[in-house]
Amino acid sequence: MRSALAVILGGSLAVGCTGQIGGTPGGSGSDNDSTDQAFTCTPGDPSATILPRLSRDQYLASLRDVVAVTLGPNDVDAVMAGVDAALTLVPADGDPDHAKLDQDVSQAHVDGQYYVAVAFAEQLTATAEHVERLVGPCAVDTDTTNDEPCLDAFIRDVGRRIHRRPLTDDVVAFYRDEVFEPADGMEVAAIRDVLVVMALSPWFLYHIENEGAAVEGRDDLFELSPYELAARLSFHFWNAPPDDALLEAAESGALATEEGYAAEIDRLVRDPRTRATMDRFFAEWFELDDLAPLEVSVGDPAFDAFAGVDVPTPALREHIIEDSLDLVRYTAWEASGSLADVFLTDLSFAKTEDVASLYGGVALWSEGATPAPLPAGERAGILTRPAMLATGSSATHPVLRGREVRKNILCDTIPAPPADAMNDIPELDPSMSERERMEELTGTGSCAGCHTMMNPIGFNLGAYDGLGRFRTEEPVFGDDGSILATLPLDTQAIPQLTADDTTPARDGIELSEMVAASDKTHGCFARHYFRFTFARAEDDDVDGCTLEQMFDSLREGAPLAEVLRDIALSPTFKLRKLAP
Amino acid sequence: MTLRIPNRRQFLRGAAGFTLALPFLESLRTRSARAGDPPYAPHARFICMTTQHGGVWGSNMFPADGAATATQTLYPGHTMHHGALTATTTGGQARLSNVLSAPEALLSSALVSKMNVIRGLDIPFYIGHHTGGDLGNFGRNDGEYDNPTEYRPTIDQVMAYSSSFYPDVSSITARSMHIGTHQDHCWGYSNPAQQSGEIQSMPLSQSAQALFNQVFIPEEEEGPAPRPLVVDRVIESYRRLHDGAFGDAARLGARDRQRLEDHMDRLRDLEIRLNAVADCSDVSPIQGDTQGLDVGGYSVNLSDIIQHYRLYNDVIVAAFMCGTSRIAVINSGETWSPDISGLCCNWHEQVAHMSAQPDGVAQQLLVEAKQRFFENVFLDLANKLDVEEANGVSYLDNSLMFWTQESGSTTHDPISLPVVMAGSAAGFFQTGRYIDYRNRNSTAVVGDYMPEYALRRPGLPYNRWLANIMMSMGLSPAEFEYPGEHGYGLPIVDNPQAWSSQMMNDSSELLPILVA
């Protein structure tokens, strides 16, 4: 068998690589090797939107919210457990960039949502006590004279949460006269039918924005109504429907005032739900969910010799992902740090012994405590943490590491490899270093066009082994676990973050410093966060102001929390434009 | 008012079994034949299985050339070969090729007589990686070399919404079943009823138990009639929003309204299926579920992978027996290589993309992997379906199931996508044949890059195979052909010497030998 280190080139070899940098899926982003990612703000309308649907996460949060506000928070898990089987029929959001970009509505969605609605209605009304809490005592007493107001009140109260707005009289009449009736008094089957229709209604499954006033007589541009604005804010920050306070701010008119709006945004940003949303964003941006299992090679002599005491378990993967998310959480929310700080911090967030061991046996950290620095001179920021580095093998895969930084952090485009890229690999001396191998295989000829974009970044990160441990030399293992050679590390390379930048980086720390300072990083964050929160690809021409606002704030080192808040303060956030 | 909570049965129909325990029967049983039944079912069933990459050398995938010695001239200078499909048996192991081998109990001579192995069906342009090309969405490729990227529905979705395939949907609860661990394989319109809108991927089932609940209709129990289903009122809520009765319609754009219309059509389809009437009395619930099993591209847990697909095979059998679905697509994203630790766990680079290396090491791993799929998924389902449905004809006889791979004998290569099929599609296809459509004398696609490239020979366009599948399922070419085209799939040809314009024009013609 070919040596294990020979050819970790996957998805990355290419002939005819144009060096394309930037660009957006579906957008009009940069398409060349520009030196920055500046956006151009041309004040005008927001982008048109086409009836967005709730993401799966938003759908789940909305179901849970209904339970919490009707039966109570303590019943949420039990009710949702009764819905779990049906939820398996609702497809996961499938976009590989950010889940919410998947706006498909398939038959499987509609079918699955139906079965969920039916199970959900049954769970909400499973007992008389549930019905009493859901509808009120009037539903279970023996007085038939109160049935009509009882029903109306139920429809209006629950409907307000499910529709995320007060129901008009017409809509109340629809639920009462056409869905509930004919019924034998407060018949539970009829109550369930109302819940099923509500949970399948367009107001629950889509972001309906059809109540606002036209802007200056336009027929394609509208202000959001207070309730629509409340929903947009809550889904933006929490990925969840508006709570009582937000709905009341909409009802009272407070949300329509500048002060009231800003106050609500501050409250939303401070809420832990915003942190959870940002966890999801960073996990998607850094593709943490795509981290391969680390324990697959356990048992292989070469890998076992390489791993030593750090034998990976299935839990290690989750622990190092949590380690990276803790870095982001602490930086953004505890330290009021900037995006640059995410790439620079040397603080340790190892909460478990296995992670601490990867960091060389550092002391454990617990949430709420002040983190201690990692050993000096070893790491800086997220790029040098195990979740961004681990490969599950003794190899470091510099090409893949470089590709991920290029693609995810810098928003560069790397073409797919040609068909025959992997088919004629020469045998290499097994005692060569990984860098020497990569340079031999890809450093010249047609391969070099693209690999000069990837390999150097991977070489800069060469001081971290396949489990993300810091090292000062490179042991080369034979198939039987014996050490064939111990080689010096050479981590200096020119990462060329922009086409005309020939500044070398000595190691992962200097690379991180360059990435932290790069406008491309700021621009890439802005693009990704835009896609994540607005559930659509950005259009540089139309969305330039929002992107520029974020970009400028990031470039100035504004705290991340402030950057996120400012998006909701932009004028276009409160508008909706119809698609032609 | 005194509260009345409905009994669980009253709610069952709407819940599709999600809130109720299902009746347990002892086993999957054979339906009895009915006097006067035709020998075959009036409408055939369709199953497609696909696995990633391909890259299995022809000498490992197919029977030897000597197994197909009969000839027929297809075009001037293009002679095809065919012969009886026969397994050799050694030590209880039956073998058609290195990949197509299994214990004789699974790969019996009786089953072999119901199979075909077909060589020489080519996607006639360099498609590279694709997800859905083998079902006709050639545009879903990796875009290299200016490949066309126009999406089209895959044939499973063309059939699922064809009135020729489903002339009567009164028993259908799932027009098509999508199974597997590799997303984005089947593609259909966002509004399939109107055949309009975006072409989007069909989501995969997340749970065999949930899919079973969808295709299994329990027997009605005695009791008061439940309230009618409410789907019509759900549709009504969409209609009123759409038309402006619930809010100002002017606040919705044309594309917003289109999205609401698409949703209403989906609801109408659901409503029909919720009212489906079928006889599942011969079907027992599946045992266990796929949730929690260790499957997917990273999994090396072979027992979990096998259990996953066998459970879904049970669901397919149940759906066919109930008559609640007639289409299933399985797309396995697993490597089927349980021990790759010695490769340093990078199967994609070190096995799939090394398949053409002449040392044969990666090739051997591929052969073993594909053989596992053949034995544990393909043959498992073929044997489960090969029980009598009526008049001595089995569910398998009334079906077409076929397995193909993303690529031919080298990764990315669309030459000779292997087709291993079982069942005659209710008598449409002849079976028991090894059919080789290649022009063995043509050097039009020979390459000198690696040894396997030198062995490539052009055959017939895969477009024609797709057309033949749909014709076997009752569709006429007029239903699936695009204007000015024949067969199915983008009619792109990057080597006219290999695939002539006459060949492309014939792509809606029946395939010789395969069809009597």
Side-chain angles (χ1 to χ4, degrees):
Chain A
M1 169 50 62
R2 190 174 308 279
S3 166
L5 289 177
V7 282
I8 310 302
L9 313 174
S12 51
L13 287 166
V15 291
C17 186
T18 61
Q20 187 176 31
I21 293 176
T24 61
S28 56
S30 169
D31 60 357
N32 56 37
D33 54 351
S34 59
T35 54
D36 60 45
Q37 275 281 2
F39 300 101
T40 301
C41 173
T42 306
D45 293 350
S47 280
T49 54
I50 305 166
L51 195 57
R53 68 165 171 84
L54 267 61
S55 69
R56 184 183 166 88
D57 284 347
Q58 292 172 342
Y59 175 62
L60 292 173
S62 298
L63 290 169
R64 296 177 68 88
D65 181 69
V66 172
V67 185
V69 300
T70 54
L71 302 185
N74 293 337
D75 287 279
V76 171
D77 288 343
V79 167
M80 294 306 292
V83 183
D84 271 353
L87 278 168
T88 63
L89 290 177
V90 180
D93 295 331
D95 191 278
D97 196 6
H98 291 288
K100 279 196 287 188
L101 290 175
D102 179 359
Q103 283 291 316
D104 287 354
V105 177
S106 68
Q107 190 66 53
H109 286 91
V110 174
D111 291 3
Q113 288 158 353
Y114 174 78
Y115 295 122
V116 168
V118 170
F120 187 63
E122 189 194 34
Q123 292 294 321
L124 282 175
T125 57
T127 67
E129 194 266 334
H130 273 193
V131 174
E132 182 175 354
R133 276 194 276 161
L134 178 75
V135 184
C138 55
V140 295
D141 62 21
T142 56
D143 179 3
T144 58
T145 64
N146 64 11
D147 284 0
E148 190 172 330
C150 184
L151 176 63
D152 270 21
F154 158 68
I155 291 172
R156 286 185 190 279
D157 289 349
V158 176
R160 177 172 176 263
R161 299 309 294 242
I162 292 180
H163 283 226
R164 303 187 281 275
R165 68 188 70 197
L167 305 192
T168 63
D169 291 343
D170 285 347
V171 176
V172 173
F174 168 73
Y175 282 120
R176 181 187 60 226
D177 301 336
E178 299 181 48
V179 179
F180 185 86
E181 296 293 348
D184 182 7
M186 293 301 288
E187 187 180 357
V188 171
I191 293 171
R192 288 179 180 175
D193 280 352
V194 170
L195 291 168
V196 169
V197 176
M198 284 184 173
L200 293 172
S201 72
W203 296 277
F204 189 65
L205 299 176
Y206 290 90
H207 297 285
I208 302 291
E209 296 170 339
N210 69 337
E211 293 181 336
V215 174
E216 297 171 353
R218 299 264 301 268
D219 61 3
D220 64 342
L221 187 65
F222 302 93
E223 295 175 356
L224 298 184
S225 73
Y227 285 99
E228 290 166 353
L229 190 54
R232 188 177 277 194
L233 282 171
S234 64
F235 283 114
H236 177 86
F237 286 107
W238 295 346
N239 232 8
D243 62 359
D244 283 332
L246 204 43
L247 289 172
E248 281 160 18
E251 187 169 359
S252 69
L255 207 55
T257 68
E258 200 170 315
E259 302 77 23
Y261 185 67
E264 277 304 307
I265 290 175
D266 283 342
R267 184 178 71 84
L268 289 160
V269 171
R270 286 197 308 272
D271 191 285
R273 281 171 284 190
T274 296
R275 301 182 182 203
T277 303
M278 293 310 296
D279 275 5
R280 182 88 310 261
F281 166 71
F282 278 106
E284 290 183 6
W285 187 30
F286 295 144
E287 296 189 349
L288 296 178
D289 294 339
D290 292 346
L291 178 62
L294 304 178
E295 73 282 7
V296 175
S297 295
V298 172
D300 173 64
F303 181 80
D304 290 347
F306 154 76
V309 299
D310 296 310
V311 179
T313 65
L316 179 62
R317 178 182 179 278
E318 308 310 316
H319 292 166
I320 62 175
I321 289 174
E322 183 71 5
D323 173 61
S324 282
L325 289 175
D326 277 329
L327 181 154
V328 174
R329 290 175 192 136
Y330 184 86
T331 304
W333 307 111
E334 306 301 331
S336 297
S338 65
L339 178 62
D341 293 326
V342 170
F343 292 97
L344 295 173
T345 181
D346 66 349
L347 298 177
S348 169
F349 302 96
K351 289 193 292 197
T352 54
E353 294 288 354
D354 51 0
V355 178
S357 179
L358 297 182
Y359 285 123
V362 298
L364 294 183
W365 172 76
S366 58
E367 289 178 36
T370 301
L374 290 164
E378 292 189 358
R379 299 176 195 262
I382 194 82
L383 296 182
T384 63
R385 304 298 166 127
M388 303 291 280
L389 299 162
T391 62
S393 73
S394 58
T396 64
H397 298 190
V399 179
L400 296 182
R401 285 179 175 179
R403 185 185 66 173
E404 295 311 300
V405 171
R406 280 281 175 202
K407 180 170 70 78
N408 297 336
I409 312 298
L410 303 173
C411 285
D412 287 340
T413 301
I414 310 256
D420 55 2
M422 303 295 295
N423 282 342
D424 191 15
I425 306 299
E427 288 289 346
L428 298 173
D429 179 350
S431 64
M432 292 169 76
S433 73
E434 200 166 1
R435 178 170 183 160
E436 289 169 337
R437 290 165 184 274
M438 289 304 112
E439 288 177 332
E440 177 73 17
L441 292 169
T442 66
T444 58
S446 60
C447 298
C450 285
H451 279 270
T452 53
M453 297 173 68
M454 300 178 286
N455 295 12
I457 292 175
F459 298 152
N460 289 151
L461 295 168
Y464 312 100
D465 70 15
L467 288 172
R469 296 174 298 192
F470 183 77
R471 62 184 184 177
T472 55
E473 54 190 15
E474 179 183 340
V476 179
F477 294 94
D479 290 345
D480 61 354
S482 61
I483 295 181
L484 301 178
T486 300
L487 305 172
L489 278 175
D490 178 8
T491 60
Q492 175 153 319
I494 300 173
Q496 207 174 356
L497 300 189
T498 56
D500 57 357
D501 185 355
T502 57
T503 310
R506 277 185 305 183
D507 52 23
I509 293 177
E510 287 196 358
L511 171 71
S512 295
E513 290 167 352
M514 294 168 73
V515 168
S518 173
D519 282 348
K520 289 180 68 176
T521 308
H522 304 141
C524 191
F525 176 96
R527 291 185 187 284
H528 274 277
Y529 187 69
F530 185 98
R531 296 168 198 165
F532 172 82
T533 199
F534 292 113
R536 62 182 174 83
E538 71 280 10
D539 180 329
D540 282 15
D541 296 329
V542 183
D543 301 311
C545 293
T546 303
L547 293 164
E548 185 186 62
Q549 177 186 325
M550 263 193 290
F551 176 81
D552 288 345
S553 297
L554 293 163
R555 189 188 223 182
E556 291 162 9
L560 272 171
E562 195 177 299
V563 174
L564 307 182
R565 191 195 63 187
D566 287 351
I567 294 174
L569 291 171
S570 70
T572 56
F573 189 87
K574 300 177 180 178
L575 300 175
R576 178 173 191 246
K577 186 178 183 186
L578 304 185
Chain B
M1 179 65 200
T2 303
L3 189 68
R4 290 197 298 109
I5 293 181
N7 67 42
R8 296 176 66 79
R9 189 203 66 81
Q10 288 175 289
F11 213 55
L12 168 64
R13 192 52 181 278
F18 286 108
T19 59
L20 284 179
L22 294 166
F24 281 82
L25 301 177
E26 292 177 358
S27 62
L28 295 173
R29 288 191 289 116
T30 303
R31 282 183 178 164
S32 57
R34 293 158 297 203
D37 279 352
Y40 288 107
H43 302 288
R45 307 177 182 99
F46 173 73
I47 304 156
C48 173
M49 297 178 173
T50 59
T51 44
Q52 302 302 301
H53 289 291
V56 179
W57 297 347
S59 56
N60 288 321
M61 188 71 221
F62 299 103
D65 283 356
T69 54
T71 60
Q72 180 170 325
T73 300
L74 299 178
Y75 298 98
H78 184 159
T79 299
M80 64 164 287
H81 295 73
H82 60 97
L85 189 66
T86 308
T88 57
T89 304
T90 307
Q93 192 77 5
R95 181 181 175 282
L96 297 165
S97 70
N98 288 339
V99 168
L100 305 177
S101 63
E104 190 179 11
L106 295 174
L107 188 58
S108 65
S109 57
L111 183 63
V112 169
S113 72
K114 297 183 176 187
M115 293 174 58
N116 288 316
V117 177
I118 307 174
R119 188 173 188 177
L121 294 170
D122 316 322
I123 295 177
F125 65 96
Y126 175 81
I127 191 170
H129 278 304
H130 59 93
T131 54
D134 41 29
L135 284 172
N137 188 10
F138 293 171
R140 177 67 177 182
N141 57 66
D142 55 18
E144 287 295 290
Y145 302 107
D146 295 325
N147 275 345
T149 54
E150 174 195 328
Y151 284 15
R152 290 187 176 177
T154 45
I155 63 167
D156 55 293
Q157 292 308 292
V158 175
M159 294 188 291
Y161 288 90
S162 159
S163 58
S164 298
F165 185 87
Y166 279 133
D168 176 5
V169 292
S170 61
S171 70
I172 301 302
T173 60
R175 285 180 182 267
S176 54
M177 297 177 281
H178 303 275
I179 296 160
T181 52
H182 197 271
Q183 189 62 274
D184 293 348
H185 195 78
C186 298
W187 299 82
Y189 285 109
S190 61
N191 188 331
Q194 306 296 329
Q195 295 288 286
S196 63
E198 306 278 323
I199 306 286
Q200 58 188 32
S201 78
M202 307 300 296
L204 294 170
S205 167
Q206 303 298 305
S207 154
Q209 188 66 60
L211 186 59
F212 179 84
N213 289 340
Q214 198 173 2
V215 299
F216 180 88
I217 298 179
E219 291 182 85
E220 291 287 338
E221 296 174 4
E222 295 298 321
R227 287 166 61 90
L229 296 175
V230 294
V231 180
D232 60 334
R233 276 149 289 168
V234 178
I235 296 170
E236 183 62 15
S237 72
Y238 280 76
R239 189 191 66 75
R240 292 188 191 183
L241 175 65
H242 176 278
D243 293 351
F246 288 164
D248 186 350
R251 300 292 194 270
L252 298 171
R255 297 178 72 180
D256 298 327
R257 284 195 293 277
Q258 181 61 53
R259 204 150 151 92
L260 292 172
E261 289 163 16
D262 291 351
H263 201 113
M264 285 189 275
D265 279 337
R266 298 281 197 194
L267 286 164
R268 291 185 188 103
D269 191 90
L270 168 69
E271 186 176 32
I272 291 169
R273 287 180 287 107
L274 288 173
N275 285 305
V277 176
D279 177 8
C280 294
S281 57
D282 290 332
V283 173
S284 65
I286 63 169
Q287 302 297 311
D289 194 13
T290 50
Q291 287 208 302
L293 296 178
D294 178 14
V295 296
Y298 289 128
S299 176
V300 292
N301 189 331
L302 192 58
S303 63
D304 273 16
I305 294 169
I306 291 171
Q307 186 182 354
H308 175 89
Y309 287 103
R310 287 184 174 175
L311 278 169
Y312 273 116
N313 281 348
D314 290 344
V315 176
I316 294 170
V317 175
F320 286 5
M321 292 181 73
C322 290
T324 48
S325 183
R326 293 192 5 245
I327 296 175
V329 177
I330 294 177
N331 186 20
S332 168
E334 288 79 11
T335 65
W336 292 87
S337 292
D339 180 13
I340 55 172
S341 59
L343 296 166
C344 200
C345 65
N346 205 322
W347 188 91
H348 177 263
E349 281 77 21
Q350 295 194 304
V351 180
H353 281 268
M354 286 294 204
S355 66
Q357 285 288 311
D359 66 8
V361 175
Q363 179 63 204
Q364 181 58 31
L365 286 162
L366 264 187
V367 168
E368 292 167 3
K370 301 303 182 191
Q371 187 281 329
R372 291 185 187 102
F373 181 87
F374 175 67
E375 177 178 329
N376 291 290
V377 184
F378 184 90
L379 290 182
D380 177 70
L381 181 57
N383 282 292
K384 283 173 175 168
L385 286 172
D386 199 21
V387 294
E388 185 182 7
E389 181 174 5
N391 300 322
V393 173
S394 72
Y395 289 95
L396 179 64
D397 298 326
N398 285 322
S399 305
L400 163 64
M401 59 178 288
F402 84 100
W403 167 38
T404 189
Q405 298 171 20
E406 183 186 0
S407 301
S409 60
T410 59
T411 306
H412 294 238
D413 189 359
I415 310 294
S416 274
L417 296 186
V419 170
V420 181
M421 59 170 278
S424 68
F428 188 88
F429 294 118
Q430 296 196 92
T431 58
R433 315 293 298 174
Y434 171 42
I435 302 173
D436 183 358
Y437 290 117
R438 293 176 305 157
N439 182 351
R440 293 179 180 175
N441 294 322
S442 171
T443 57
V445 293
V446 164
D448 58 2
Y449 191 68
M450 298 289 274
E452 189 66 16
Y453 284 71
L455 303 176
R456 297 193 299 187
R457 299 290 183 274
L460 297 177
Y462 195 85
N463 313 52
R464 186 164 173 175
W465 166 236
L466 295 172
N468 272 248
I469 292 171
M470 288 193 277
M471 288 190 283
S472 78
M473 296 290 142
L475 280 71
S476 67
E479 287 183 72
F480 57 75
E481 285 181 340
Y482 280 63
E485 298 179 8
H486 300 288
Y488 195 78
L490 289 168
I492 307 297
V493 174
D494 67 8
N495 186 342
Q497 287 186 311
W499 306 284
S500 66
S501 58
Q502 184 61 52
M503 271 189 196
M504 297 305 292
N505 287 338
D506 291 342
S507 286
S508 290
E509 300 295 321
L510 297 175
L511 280 162
I513 304 302
L514 181 61
V515 183

